[in-house]
Amino acid sequence: MKRLPIGISDFKELIENDYLFADTTPLIGEIYREQSKILLITRPRRFGKTLNMSMLGSFFDNTCQSVELFQGLEITQDEEVMKQINTYPVIFLSFKDIKDHVWEDSLKNIKSIISDLYKDKEDYLSELFEDDDIKTYYRSIVDKTATVVDYKNALKYLIEFLHKKYQKKVILLIDEYDVPIQSGWTNGYYDEIIDFMRVFLSAALKDNPNLFKGILTGIYRVAKESIFSGLNNLSVFTILNRDYTQYFGFTQEEVEKMLTILGYDQNEELKKGLREWYNGYHFGKDIIYNPWSVLNFLRFHELKPYWINTSSNDLIISLIEKNMIEQDYFREEIELLLSGNTIDKVVDEASALRDIENNPDAIWTLFLFSGYITTLEKLESDFGVDEVYACSIPNKEVTRFFRKTVLQWLKKADRITIDRMAQNLINGNGEKFCESLQAYVRETLSYFDLKQEVENSYHMLLLGIFAQLQDSYNIRSNRESGLGRPDILLKAKDKKHYSAVIELKADSSQKTLDEAMSQIVEKDYVRELESEGYTRILKVALGVDGKSVAGLVS
């Protein structure tokens, strides 16, 4: 049985340990034949960028013997490109971990990355150290005693040293180049990191006769910052382009092959779950699955938000909360998205992070390239200039993220109302709680009128309301009690206070309320509380349908 490569981004490790691998080796041939000298490929995080860069490095690096790694893979059918295996000096560096809160720490870590890169190449370049100037400069980079200007030019000079050593042009691979730039924007040292990266990258990439190919990956195209100023040989391939789309994330064909290998090819329910939860990203000509979530589901066999829960969403969350407060149109568009509709948005591939402050469309471009919305089709622009796309949320996983974020914002936005709502319940006034919940939804949650998974949405809302009670209550969600699983059980730490059992149904009719209350009684949801001596217990049946909320209390 093939192993699932969860968190494995090193190509050599993946192949040698017989992990499941969606064969992306034809990418090597396409990169080799690409007419452009400098390529920037942008994709959301955890969509295979680092693994593909590692694969390119393993293939071309002239300090490796990696023919065996590629045996049986598609690239071996490409005779022209196979002649180039292990024939180029390669530089591979990644900025994926540069996420510092202050500029001084960011600069320190960037210097460490460059120092380690120089150390890695030191033995191969030792013959160049007969030149005292080269030796002195090289040692200053390794020892981290060089000036900031020296570090800005370090990549350019390392390319020059490798070319001089091997008399062969160099392949440069830079993974996640934009991570420190995003950290700079988030943490207030944007200008400093832009100044450094502009010189560092341009010095290495612009008109460099010692460079064969420069390949960069990231989430965003940081073009308006002039980081790539003057690079007339740069080609940018975003998720809107048709090139290279099948190599980042899983195609339908790749998912089908994996399911066959793992013995799930006849499980139609599993296939449907994968499509609804993790598919739906429109990259150029292809529709792509989120690879991180697919692999985690195949490992743990539970449909839940794996990709969303494994990264820092702080920037996205802060932008949602900020715009929910300040922009009526933004709230309306979020409502449309959460209701399963599309919104038409201008997409500027070259927008900068700082544009978010004054360009209402820039936030949607950020959401798009980060993987939080996707395009469905390109539309005709009224002015014939801007790129306008119909956009939607790609799948259930991302829908859950938006709902959770909106609910968290609502909890912050109307704390007094929510406090009163919770107090009504713990004081034993179940009817008043139901009335206040109905009023809250009607007056405040205009964008909470959801047509899909309404029961789950209200479940999350109630958990958000009750979160503030954790000091005095044990709050349980879908935990066994009696003969079943009540939706929510509020268990007071002080038995003088009221506890509650709440059952939710996605229908607000009286019949449904009666059925929910009967379920509480017949399945004896209060057994746990009664067995522990609780006497103040509320049974609450809630029927929800869009913005309609009805309650029955016993």
Side-chain angles (χ1 to χ4, degrees), residues 481-489 500-505 512-530 537-543 551-554:
S481 180
L483 302 176
R485 297 173 182 266
D487 286 317
I488 297 175
L489 188 150
V501 172
I502 300 175
E503 185 64 27
L504 274 166
K505 297 295 181 185
T512 299
L513 287 176
D514 291 337
E515 291 174 352
M517 184 60 71
S518 295
Q519 181 176 328
I520 293 174
V521 174
E522 291 170 4
K523 294 194 174 183
D524 201 11
Y525 286 162
V526 300
R527 178 190 296 179
E528 176 183 336
L529 294 170
E530 290 178 339
I537 304 171
L538 289 177
K539 304 182 189 75
V540 181
L542 285 176
L552 182 62
V553 182
S554 171

Side-chain angles (χ1 to χ4, degrees), residues 321-333:
E321 292 184 345
K322 179 177 183 293
N323 283 272
M324 291 287 280
I325 295 171
E326 298 177 358
Q327 307 291 343
D328 290 340
Y329 76 91
F330 183 84
R331 295 195 295 272
E332 293 169 0
E333 289 176 325

Side-chain angles (χ1 to χ4, degrees), residues 295-307:
L295 291 173
N296 274 275
F297 170 73
L298 294 175
R299 166 64 180 84
F300 297 106
H301 305 288
E302 183 178 357
L303 292 167
K304 68 178 189 178
Y306 295 103
W307 177 71

Side-chain angles (χ1 to χ4, degrees), residues 77 168 481 509 531:
Q77 305 302 312
K168 181 99 172 182
S481 180
S509 68
S531 67

Side-chain angles (χ1 to χ4, degrees), residues 402-414:
F402 274 105
R403 286 180 179 167
K404 182 178 179 181
T405 303
V406 168
L407 293 174
Q408 289 174 337
W409 172 78
L410 289 169
K411 189 174 65 173
K412 295 176 184 177
D414 203 354

Side-chain angles (χ1 to χ4, degrees), residues 111-324:
K111 287 181 178 180
S112 291
I113 288 174
I114 299 170
S115 172
D116 290 343
L117 187 61
Y118 266 59
K119 287 178 188 176
D120 184 58
K121 304 295 183 183
E122 192 169 8
D123 290 342
Y124 302 107
L125 298 174
S126 57
E127 65 188 58
L128 301 182
F129 298 157
E130 295 177 4
D131 183 317
D132 289 339
D133 289 339
I134 292 178
K135 182 178 180 179
T136 300
Y137 173 79
Y138 206 100
R139 290 308 312 171
S140 71
I141 296 294
V142 171
D143 296 337
K144 305 176 188 176
T145 58
T147 66
V148 174
V149 173
D150 287 334
Y151 279 100
K152 287 180 178 179
N153 288 285
L155 196 53
K156 180 184 80 169
Y157 288 128
L158 185 58
I159 293 170
E160 182 181 318
F161 296 153
L162 288 169
H163 181 261
K164 186 174 183 179
K165 157 71 177 178
Y166 294 108
Q167 294 300 300
K168 181 99 172 182
K169 290 188 176 183
V170 176
I171 292 177
L172 172 63
L173 306 172
I174 302 178
D175 189 40
E176 304 286 11
Y177 86 99
D178 57 338
V179 169
I181 295 171
Q182 179 181 324
S183 294
W185 188 84
T186 303
N187 295 296
Y189 57 90
Y190 192 68
D191 291 337
E192 289 88 343
I193 189 61
I194 287 294
D195 176 68
F196 184 94
M197 296 298 285
R198 179 188 295 118
V199 178
F200 181 73
L201 294 176
S202 294
L205 299 173
K206 184 178 179 180
D207 301 326
N208 191 336
N210 303 312
L211 192 66
F212 172 62
K213 291 284 183 187
I215 302 101
L216 298 88
T217 69
I219 296 176
Y220 315 116
R221 171 185 177 179
V222 189
K224 285 186 176 177
E225 315 300 352
S226 300
I227 283 181
F228 304 115
S229 177
L231 286 181
N232 53 15
N233 56 354
L234 169 70
S235 291
V236 181
F237 300 95
T238 73
I239 58 176
L240 300 177
N241 299 104
R242 297 175 63 85
D243 301 276
Y244 306 115
T245 55
Q246 70 271 37
Y247 301 121
F248 299 88
F250 293 153
T251 64
Q252 183 66 44
E253 181 182 2
E254 288 169 339
V255 170
E256 294 285 352
K257 286 181 179 178
M258 288 182 207
L259 295 179
T260 298
I261 291 171
L262 297 172
Y264 299 128
D265 50 311
Q266 301 302 315
N267 192 329
E268 295 302 322
E269 183 178 354
L270 182 147
K271 292 180 181 180
K272 179 183 178 183
L274 284 173
R275 285 194 302 272
E276 292 178 348
W277 273 80
Y278 310 125
N279 196 18
Y281 292 92
H282 290 245
F283 292 177
K285 63 183 184 300
D286 293 304
I287 300 177
I288 299 294
Y289 285 80
N290 183 314
W292 177 261
S293 291
V294 168
L295 291 173
N296 274 275
F297 170 73
L298 294 175
R299 166 64 180 84
F300 297 106
H301 305 288
E302 183 178 357
L303 292 167
K304 68 178 189 178
Y306 295 103
W307 177 71
I308 289 294
N309 291 338
T310 55
S311 73
S312 172
N313 301 303
D314 293 348
L315 174 60
I316 302 297
I317 291 172
S318 66
L319 289 172
I320 292 174
E321 292 184 345
K322 179 177 183 293
N323 283 272
M324 291 287 280

